[in-house]
Amino acid sequence: MRVLVVTAVPVERDAVTRAFTDGPQILDVPGAELHRAGAFDVLAGGAGPASAAAAAAFALASGAGAEPYGLVVSAGIGGGFAPDAPVGSLVVASGIVAADLGAETPDGFVPVTALGFGRERFVPPPGLVRDVAAATGALTGEVLTVSTVTGSAGRAAALRTAHPHAVAEAMEGFGVAEAAERLRVPVLEIRAVSNAVGPRDRNAWRIGDALAALTEAFGKLTPVLEGWTTPHDRHR
């Protein structure tokens, strides 16, 4: 099964491909540069849900080969909600949630679904989430997609109140999931925690540790995905 992995920036893309012994083959497709390593095609699609959605859609539509993609993975580093997801830990999303897609009202934030249109959540295949978490030692929980990275204790608390099952935030997962859904391809999100969600303190970030955790995780994924190939598996 071929897997499309979408990261935000090249350093995350390279952390994924480092998990494989052979150096990546670089393929140019419309709208994207794919780094192929084994069964994984990895691209740096840009920061934010719009860039991620566009890059994922271009790559999925291009095909980049005879075998269609069987899975799309949004991957990279992100913020973890303390104390559940400490810096250096790994998270696999049980739900991919657009946390700030909606409207502000006098009574507070209203999600897009409450406005009567759109969607705010994608649910990856539960069986695959369990298997990946077991293989990598990852925590499972909701990963929030935000367009603005949280930088204050007040905003962190508000997000946790609105999404009590959230364990991490990032900026691309929901966009990747939108593209995958339209092409009817299952989606997964994997995040290595580089910082705590809350007051912005770059001195406390551990980006190198998070990238190393991402590499280690993808090194353990191939056996899991090789056993996840049937339609029945995809809906467990």
Side-chain angles (χ1 to χ4, degrees), residues 128-169:
L128 180 60
V129 171
R130 289 193 299 269
D131 291 348
V132 169
T136 61
L139 172 72
T140 62
E142 291 182 349
V143 176
L144 307 182
T145 298
V146 295
S147 295
T148 301
V149 173
T150 299
S152 69
R155 178 58 177 161
L159 284 174
R160 201 67 188 272
T161 298
H163 305 281
H165 301 295
V167 292
E169 73 167 22

Side-chain angles (χ1 to χ4, degrees), residues 111-135:
V112 67
T113 49
L115 299 175
F117 56 89
R119 67 186 299 172
E120 61 176 315
R121 179 184 309 271
F122 290 93
V123 178
L128 180 60
V129 171
R130 289 193 299 269
D131 291 348
V132 169

Side-chain angles (χ1 to χ4, degrees), residues 173-186:
F174 193 82
V176 173
E178 282 278 18
E181 171 74 10
R182 291 170 192 238
L183 274 296
R184 300 184 182 276
V185 182

Side-chain angles (χ1 to χ4, degrees), residues 54 58 68-69 82 147 215:
F58 268 114
Y69 291 112
S147 295
T215 301

Side-chain angles (χ1 to χ4, degrees), residues 4-9 30-33 43-60 74 145-147 171-179 191:
L4 175 65
V5 182
V6 183
T7 71
V9 295
E33 178 186 276
L43 66 89
S51 291
F58 268 114
L60 286 167
S74 176
T145 298
V146 295
S147 295
M171 299 181 73
E172 294 80 32
F174 193 82
V176 173
E178 282 278 18
R191 293 287 164 183

Side-chain angles (χ1 to χ4, degrees), residues 31-89:
E33 178 186 276
L34 294 178
H35 287 216
R36 177 166 291 174
F40 295 83
D41 286 352
V42 191
L43 66 89
S51 291
F58 268 114
L60 286 167
S62 76
E67 183 183 354
Y69 291 112
L71 179 69
V72 182
V73 182
S74 176
I77 62 176
F81 284 97
D84 297 326
V87 173
S89 64

